[in-house]
Amino acid sequence: MTMAETGAALKKEWVRAEKKALAPHGFRAAAGGRYVVALGDDWTGGLTLPKRAGGAGTTTVHFDPPNCSVTHVPTQRLIRELSGFGPKAPEYPTLPGAWRGVPPADVVDALRASAPSDPDGVAKAVAGTDDLVRDHVLPWMRAHADLDALAAALDAPLTAPDSEAQRLQSLAVVSHWRGDDARARALTDEFAERFGATGIAPIDEPRGRFAAGFRDLLGGA
């Protein structure tokens, strides 16, 4: 077996052990190296733990920054329907953890520093992931699988334009579910005004469809 093949085999073993460790927490493996956990009838949590084998001449496997998220399924379903997205369009979470510093950077840095190069290293990395999920990821997910908590987390503006557009869109729909249609309408207007005319048709068209459809749903132009 070559060094490269050994690195690939070690990565495969890491993923196998990771799946086994996450299963008792309720996570199931999904496409693209993603894990999903049910948080209630209308809620799911997503977790991505990317890793890559080192280059030629090394058996090291590197752990890239993990991502976690909370999705309110009715919110995302309505956004997709009103935007006119087909079944193959990307899925977007309602609240990405990265927007709010979850998982904590210091914990992630310590985990990434492990960079296992043998089975013992993989076992330690999996144990670290188990701690990360138990102590940080799952508590955060469960705390935000609630419309009031979700709205509060979505209330703070973001710097990146695409993220801010997604935040406004999600918060508008969540405000509607919470019975605040006046705020839902105001957020939709802000979303359309700030992010509905980028000059890029594949972006502008679904955003325009969403804004028009959601205003109709709210009962006003």
Side-chain angles (χ1 to χ4, degrees):
M1 181 180 288
T2 67
M3 294 291 278
E5 288 170 338
T6 302
L10 195 66
K11 177 184 174 183
K12 186 175 181 180
E13 171 59 22
W14 188 353
V15 171
R16 185 201 64 77
E18 184 177 84
K19 289 178 181 179
K20 184 177 180 179
L22 292 179
H25 296 297
F27 285 91
R28 60 176 177 81
R34 188 166 171 265
Y35 297 93
V36 178
V37 61
L39 300 172
D41 290 342
D42 291 332
W43 302 85
T44 61
L47 176 64
T48 304
L49 299 167
K51 51 190 65 67
R52 54 189 166 82
T58 176
T59 60
T60 303
V61 180
H62 301 280
F63 190 14
D64 290 334
N67 300 292
C68 64
S69 61
V70 170
T71 294
H72 181 236
V73 177
T75 293
Q76 298 314 115
R77 183 183 297 129
L78 182 59
I79 289 173
R80 289 176 65 87
E81 289 175 356
L82 294 178
S83 300
F85 289 136
K88 294 184 179 180
E91 295 279 354
Y92 292 102
T94 314
L95 179 65
W99 289 0
R100 300 296 173 245
V102 181
D106 58 335
V107 176
V108 172
D109 289 345
L111 191 58
R112 292 186 67 195
S114 62
S117 57
D118 57 38
D120 287 343
V122 165
K124 292 178 181 177
V126 171
T129 299
D130 187 63
D131 291 343
L132 176 77
V133 169
R134 184 188 64 245
D135 298 339
H136 299 282
V137 172
L138 268 177
W140 176 81
M141 287 179 173
R142 288 168 176 157
H144 290 87
D146 170 87
L147 284 176
D148 291 340
L150 179 62
L154 288 170
D155 209 35
L158 299 165
T159 302
D162 285 348
S163 296
E164 176 66 356
Q166 184 183 341
R167 181 191 75 83
L168 287 170
Q169 194 176 36
S170 295
L171 185 56
V173 176
V174 170
S175 297
H176 168 60
W177 300 137
R178 296 176 71 233
D180 192 349
D181 282 358
R183 190 176 190 210
R185 190 174 292 105
L187 288 162
T188 303
D189 291 344
E190 182 181 356
F191 166 78
E193 180 179 349
R194 293 176 59 193
F195 301 107
T198 66
I200 304 172
I203 294 176
D204 293 346
E205 290 173 1
R207 288 179 178 177
R209 287 192 294 267
F210 166 79
F214 194 50
R215 284 170 177 145
D216 286 345
L217 185 151
L218 294 173

